[in-house]
Amino acid sequence: MKQSKVFFTNLRATPKMNLLRKLEKLVKKAGIKEIDFKGKFAAIKIHFGEPGNLAFLRPNYSKVIADVIKDQGGKVFLTDCNTLYVGRRKDALEHLDAAYENGYNPFTTGCQIIIGDGLKGTDEAYVPVPSGEYVKEAKIGRAIMDADIVISLNHFKGHELTGFGGALKNIGMGCGSRAGKMEMHSDGKPKVKSKTCVGCGACGKICAHKAITVTDKQAQIDHARCVGCGRCIGVCHVNAIAAAWDESNDILNKKIAEYSWAVLHDRPHFHISLVVDVAPFCDCHAENDVPIIPDIGMFASFDPVALDMACADMANQAPVISGSYLAEQLANQGSDGGKQDHFHATHPETNWRVCLDHAEKIGIGTKGYELIEI
């Protein structure tokens, strides 16, 4: 299989070449200007960070990419979809507040912010996945599917369910609506937390399959009728309905790949990953632990599979930071810190290669790459 080109630059800087200029130079060398942006809507998919977390990407990086797109005549916006878990980004209003709190606004980024799946996480497009083994119809935030071009700007870091979070995680999981996220995380159907439910009936009103009834101020879900669409999760204002969270990590990884296919298929896309502040856990956490490895650099490619592979390879060649969560895991595992998969060692129950293998299988890209240093 033909190798994909992945462009890389380290994080050394000089008075004449700071990191923002290096990022601009990187993406231009990698070919972002080959995309016809003129008059077209371009979505920059990014993670705004859960408030309390300080490892998320600074908004300065997104402004570089937004300015490049605007210079090419594109109509650019930053986007992410609402979260399935209960935090500060579960609906559009709180999500925007969180983004602004973390420095993301039109003045710092040079473009508007749109929450991809709307106010309650229910504004979604249904995208067929003909080659899907687990997903037949992905539920993607409508604003993202309405865009003409998708650009992913990723913070590469560890993740407790997928090993690491890179381009595919940012696209597949990140672009799923709340119902889409439930489909990826769950093999089962949503359940009612009886101690939290107030019996308001909002869930029953939105259910198109008459699967929810309210008796004695308690909602009940008939799983024989429920199709697992997840709209009840989005409409519940007291967070009394939850996903099952019972999918295996390998199948979760494959579903993420299939959701990525749904987002990227049949339209231009380009991907940027920054391997910096590589915390052991996702930016969805309201905290960030000390990085597990030193900062590596910035990467860009038209191929998200090759990009993730290149980032993982270079991260795995890096030394382990003493006192980090990874160092503790290695000590507990009896390892001397020699050659090993840092991300599997950090989260032994995960296998990140499953996602990349499946993404390659269904035609998103290739794990083979040529690394070109800028």
Side-chain angles (χ1 to χ4, degrees):
M1 185 177 292
K2 185 179 178 180
Q3 292 184 330
S4 294
K5 292 182 179 180
V6 177
F7 291 76
F8 165 76
T9 188
N10 62 35
L11 296 172
R12 296 297 305 273
T14 70
K16 294 183 178 180
M17 183 64 70
N18 64 27
L19 292 180
L20 299 179
R21 289 190 62 196
K22 288 190 81 171
L23 177 59
E24 179 183 0
K25 183 178 179 180
L26 173 72
V27 298
K28 287 181 177 178
K29 286 284 188 180
I32 194 171
K33 292 175 70 175
E34 296 172 13
I35 299 173
D36 179 14
F37 287 105
K38 190 172 180 61
K40 296 177 180 176
F41 290 102
I44 300 178
K45 170 61 183 72
I46 196 166
H47 193 304
F48 299 117
E50 189 72 17
N53 186 300
L54 299 177
F56 63 90
L57 294 183
R58 292 176 175 86
N60 311 66
Y61 294 118
S62 59
K63 187 176 189 304
V64 171
I65 308 306
D67 287 348
V68 169
I69 294 171
K70 289 193 295 184
D71 287 345
Q72 298 301 114
K75 300 178 180 180
V76 61
F77 63 97
L78 289 171
T79 191
D80 196 5
C81 287
N82 293 305
T83 60
L84 180 59
Y85 66 88
V86 178
R88 290 278 306 279
R89 297 177 300 119
K90 67 181 184 300
D91 63 62
L93 297 184
E94 288 189 277
H95 206 153
L96 286 171
D97 284 345
Y100 293 161
E101 186 175 318
N102 283 342
Y104 284 92
N105 60 64
F107 304 103
T108 57
T109 65
C111 65
Q112 297 292 336
I113 298 171
I114 299 174
I115 303 305
D117 58 346
L119 182 62
K120 297 181 179 180
T122 57
D123 188 14
E124 58 202 0
Y126 293 86
V127 184
V129 185
S131 59
E133 294 180 23
Y134 299 93
V135 178
K136 297 305 179 185
E137 195 174 54
K139 304 171 184 70
I140 308 297
R142 188 174 299 279
I144 294 169
M145 289 311 301
D146 282 346
D148 303 300
I149 300 160
V150 175
I151 309 295
S152 67
L153 179 56
N154 321 292
H155 174 217
F156 191 89
K157 67 282 182 186
H159 194 279
E160 55 271 35
L161 297 180
T162 59
F164 67 71
L168 292 171
K169 174 70 165 52
N170 185 40
I171 300 159
M173 182 62 71
C175 291
S177 66
R178 294 193 85 192
K181 289 179 172 67
M182 187 187 75
E183 180 177 27
M184 284 180 273
H185 277 295
S186 304
D187 182 42
K189 295 175 180 179
K191 57 185 178 181
V192 177
K193 295 183 283 186
S194 59
K195 291 183 179 179
T196 308
C197 179
V198 296
C200 68
C203 52
K205 292 176 182 177
I206 202 170
C207 181
H209 303 278
K210 298 181 179 180
I212 303 176
T213 56
V214 178
T215 305
D216 296 330
K217 295 186 177 181
Q218 282 289 303
Q220 296 178 331
I221 301 176
D222 181 353
H223 283 175
R225 289 177 174 269
C226 174
V227 299
C229 73
R231 286 186 170 270
C232 54
I233 295 175
V235 78
C236 181
H237 68 280
V238 295
N239 302 306
I241 302 179
W245 297 93
D246 58 354
E247 192 58 274
S248 74
N249 288 341
D250 282 359
I251 295 178
L252 169 65
N253 268 310
K254 291 181 179 181
K255 288 181 176 180
I256 287 172
E258 292 179 6
Y259 262 71
S260 297
W261 185 95
V263 173
L264 301 176
H265 178 66
D266 206 25
R267 58 177 166 173
H269 52 89
F270 185 85
H271 311 274
I272 308 133
S273 286
L274 276 62
V275 187
V276 297
D277 294 320
V278 185
F281 301 105
C282 180
D283 291 345
C284 292
H285 280 240
E287 84 290 330
N288 58 285
D289 201 4
V290 64
I292 60 175
I293 59 172
D295 291 348
I296 303 294
M298 301 183 284
F299 299 73
S301 179
F302 283 99
D303 184 340
V305 183
L307 182 65
D308 273 354
M309 192 73 243
C311 290
D313 283 346
M314 290 196 71
N316 278 327
Q317 294 169 19
V320 177
I321 291 180
S322 177
S324 68
Y325 182 81
L326 172 55
E328 292 176 354
Q329 287 285 81
L330 291 172
N332 292 335
Q333 294 161 19
S335 171
D336 61 2
K339 185 176 180 181
Q340 83 280 309
D341 182 334
H342 291 336
F343 300 103
H344 181 68
T346 302
H347 302 292
E349 68 282 2
T350 67
N351 181 3
W352 55 266
R353 296 178 187 276
V354 170
C355 183
L356 273 63
D357 289 343
H358 197 61
E360 185 176 61
K361 177 182 177 181
I362 62 178
I364 296 175
T366 174
K367 299 193 301 293
Y369 63 90
E370 174 190 359
L371 190 68
I372 302 169
E373 187 165 1
I374 304 300

